[in-house]
């Protein structure tokens, strides 16, 4: 039986055979970063890492840098960055940091799966229990656990790169080291404040709450983990990613429970979005926001009125009973209703659905949309993101029929499923312009 070092060599050989240039750069990256190699060997020994894979181009186009897939124990790699990492130090450093993060997901695979199962079991218990069904605590507990894990894993990624930067600059003063870290990759910029001294020279200091040691690394303690949670987990939208995923789980659990007990009264289903620090977050049909101050906490159920779409038949995005294969799932339905509720009555449903489709193509999933930036401007549907620079603008008069929109959304489903396996993956390196997306 091969030992971990032999297995890693086989993995690198296989990847290099499939992707010669990028594979050679990956080999060099790992061999010049002993901290990264050590953690890879730990993951392999735990039987949690079996291969390297090319990152799905669709995910890469949305700014994703990498991910760990627990289904096949693989780490997905951005091929465009690997291809140039041999001659681009910033790209190589970005990969060091991202790989350091994703390797920790691999090492901690069992604990991550255990947390996910506990949340799923709790959601199923609530859905099968008596009314009201309040998912606030289940969602909050999972987010708190994920925040702790993601923060720890990002500290690991930070430290992998910091060790490399310190090796290249062994005599750097603290001020010089901060500057070297800041300049090593755009991923480091979110952890430093930049100022100017009395002589007009730029200065660099760790953000409030973060303590960086003389070796350039962040110690794993309560203060640093909390600060990393603020600057990485919160800032990069992870609460919305996990909440979106678990709300979808809850919506499906409600459907299963209703089918198992068709005679029971319809339960009240609620979530306190204020407690989750996600005010205005899109909820699935039938769910209400129980945040204090909202009167009444009306559920986001589908209206019984005739659809606005001029085409015959009920809009599948507004019919909560629509469960047939190929029809919209909970996430698309909630997304549609968020847009529908903020657009004028005169905008037909098929145009709203088409705007949602174009937003998803541009990387604007529901959790990345700023509800305050949804509207009609100069005759076009505008959807803005929580990340500055991300928005779409769609002409409603050019929207295809609802049936075509549904088919195109359905065609995106396999890509979305893969994204859920890998996401949330590290973080976006920079805003990437794309069709129908502006800066």
């Amino acid at each position: 039986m091969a030992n971990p070092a032999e297995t890693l060599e086989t993995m690198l050989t296989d990847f290099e055979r499939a992707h010669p240039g990028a594979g050679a750069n990956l080999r060099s990256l790992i061999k010049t970063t002993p901290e990264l190699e050590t953690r890879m060997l730990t993951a392999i020994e735990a039987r949690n890492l079996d291969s390297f894979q090319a990152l799905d181009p669709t995910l890469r186009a949305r700014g994703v840098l990498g991910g760990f897939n627990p289904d096949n124990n693989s780490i997905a790699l951005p091929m465009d960055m690997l291809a140039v990492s041999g001659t681009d130090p910033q790209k190589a450093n970005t990969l060091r940091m991202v790989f350091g993060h994703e390797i920790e997901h691999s090492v901690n695979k069992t604990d991550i799966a255990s947390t996910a199962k506990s949340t799923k079991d709790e959601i199923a218990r609530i859905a099968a229990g008596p009314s009201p069904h309040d998912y606030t605590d289940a969602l909050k507990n999972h987010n708190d656990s994920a925040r702790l894990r993601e923060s720890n894993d990002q500290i690991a990624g930070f430290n992998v790169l910091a060790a490399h930067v310190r090796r290249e600059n062994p005599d750097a003063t603290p001020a010089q080291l901060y500057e070297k870290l800041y300049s090593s990759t755009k991923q480091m910029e979110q952890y430093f404040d930049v100022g100017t001294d009395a002589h007009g020279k730029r200065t660099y200091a760790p953000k409030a709450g973060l303590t960086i040691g003389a070796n350039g690394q962040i110690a794993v303690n309560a203060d640093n983990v909390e600060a990393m949670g603020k600057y990485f987990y919160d800032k990069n939208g992870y609460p919305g990613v996990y909440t979106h995923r678990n709300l979808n789980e809850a919506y499906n659990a409600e459907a299963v429970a209703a089918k198992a007990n068709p005679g029971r009264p319809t339960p009240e289903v609620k979530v306190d979005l204020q407690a989750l620090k996600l005010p205005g977050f899109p909820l699935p049909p039938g769910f209400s926001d129980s945040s204090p101050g909202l009167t009444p906490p009306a559920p986001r159920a589908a209206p019984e009125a005739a659809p606005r779409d001029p085409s015959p038949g009920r809009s599948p995005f507004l019919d909560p009973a629509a469960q047939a294969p190929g029809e919209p799932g909970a996430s698309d339905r909630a997304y549609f209703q968020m847009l529908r509720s903020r657009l004028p009555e005169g905008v037909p449903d098929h145009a709203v659905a088409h705007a949602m489709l174009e937003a998803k193509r541009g990387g604007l999933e529901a959790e990345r949309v700023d509800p305050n930036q949804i509207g009609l401007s100069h005759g076009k549907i505008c959807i803005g993101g929580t990340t500055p620079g991300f928005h779409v603008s769609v002409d409603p008069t050019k929207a295809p029929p609802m049936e075509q929109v549904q088919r195109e959304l359905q065609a995106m489903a396999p890509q979305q499923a893969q994204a859920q396996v890998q996401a949330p993956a590290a973080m976006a390196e920079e805003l990437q312009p794309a069709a129908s997306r502006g800066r």
Side-chain angles (χ1 to χ4, degrees), residues 98-324:
V98 172
F99 290 174
H101 179 108
E102 298 303 334
I103 285 296
E104 294 306 303
H105 284 348
S106 175
V107 171
N108 298 315
K109 172 185 173 180
T110 301
D111 289 342
I112 294 171
S114 177
T115 298
K117 184 179 185 304
S118 294
T119 301
K120 184 175 182 179
D121 290 346
E122 176 63 6
I123 286 174
R125 183 194 69 76
I126 294 171
S131 181
H133 295 173
D134 190 342
Y135 290 98
T136 306
D137 287 345
L139 271 58
K140 185 177 185 303
N141 290 339
H142 188 277
N143 251 338
D144 289 346
S145 176
R147 190 175 192 266
L148 181 63
R149 187 192 73 248
E150 293 284 358
S151 299
N152 273 279
D153 292 351
Q154 185 61 6
I155 287 176
F158 184 107
N159 288 343
V160 164
L161 177 53
H164 177 76
V165 172
R166 172 52 95 181
R167 256 193 312 274
E168 292 191 325
N169 304 276
D171 301 321
T173 65
Q176 291 170 336
L177 183 59
Y178 294 160
E179 182 177 2
K180 294 292 185 182
L181 288 170
Y182 179 89
S183 303
S184 64
T185 167
K186 289 182 180 295
Q187 297 307 312
M188 278 289 186
E189 294 178 4
Q190 58 195 319
Y191 307 119
F192 289 89
D193 287 324
V194 181
T196 306
D197 66 14
H199 304 287
K201 183 180 179 181
R202 297 184 80 186
T203 60
Y204 305 86
K207 283 190 175 291
L210 270 182
T211 300
I212 299 177
N215 59 359
Q217 300 193 22
I218 298 175
V220 180
N221 57 43
D223 289 341
N224 281 333
V225 170
E226 173 57 30
M228 186 60 75
K230 176 181 178 181
Y231 301 123
F232 174 70
Y233 187 86
D234 298 343
K235 190 70 173 179
N236 287 287
Y238 279 73
V241 171
Y242 282 113
T243 297
H244 181 70
R245 186 181 303 177
N246 286 325
L247 281 172
N248 193 53
E249 180 70 34
Y251 180 83
N252 291 331
E254 288 289 334
V256 170
K259 186 176 181 180
N261 189 2
R264 75 174 188 179
T266 301
E268 177 189 359
V269 186
K270 57 185 181 179
V271 178
D272 184 342
L273 293 176
Q274 183 173 306
L276 298 178
K277 299 180 181 179
L278 292 169
F281 195 81
L283 290 171
F287 284 51
S288 66
D289 182 0
S290 59
S291 299
L294 293 183
T295 307
R300 300 175 67 89
E304 292 300 323
R308 300 175 182 86
D309 191 340
S311 61
R314 192 181 185 86
S315 168
F317 292 96
L318 293 175
D319 185 357
Q323 297 292 330

Side-chain angles (χ1 to χ4, degrees), residues 1-11 37 40-47 49:
M1 183 177 178
N3 61 40
E6 292 169 337
T7 300
L8 178 57
E9 174 60 31
T10 299
M11 291 166 55
E37 183 174 17
M40 285 185 173
L41 294 175
T42 299
I44 292 170
E45 187 172 19
R47 299 185 178 181
L49 181 61

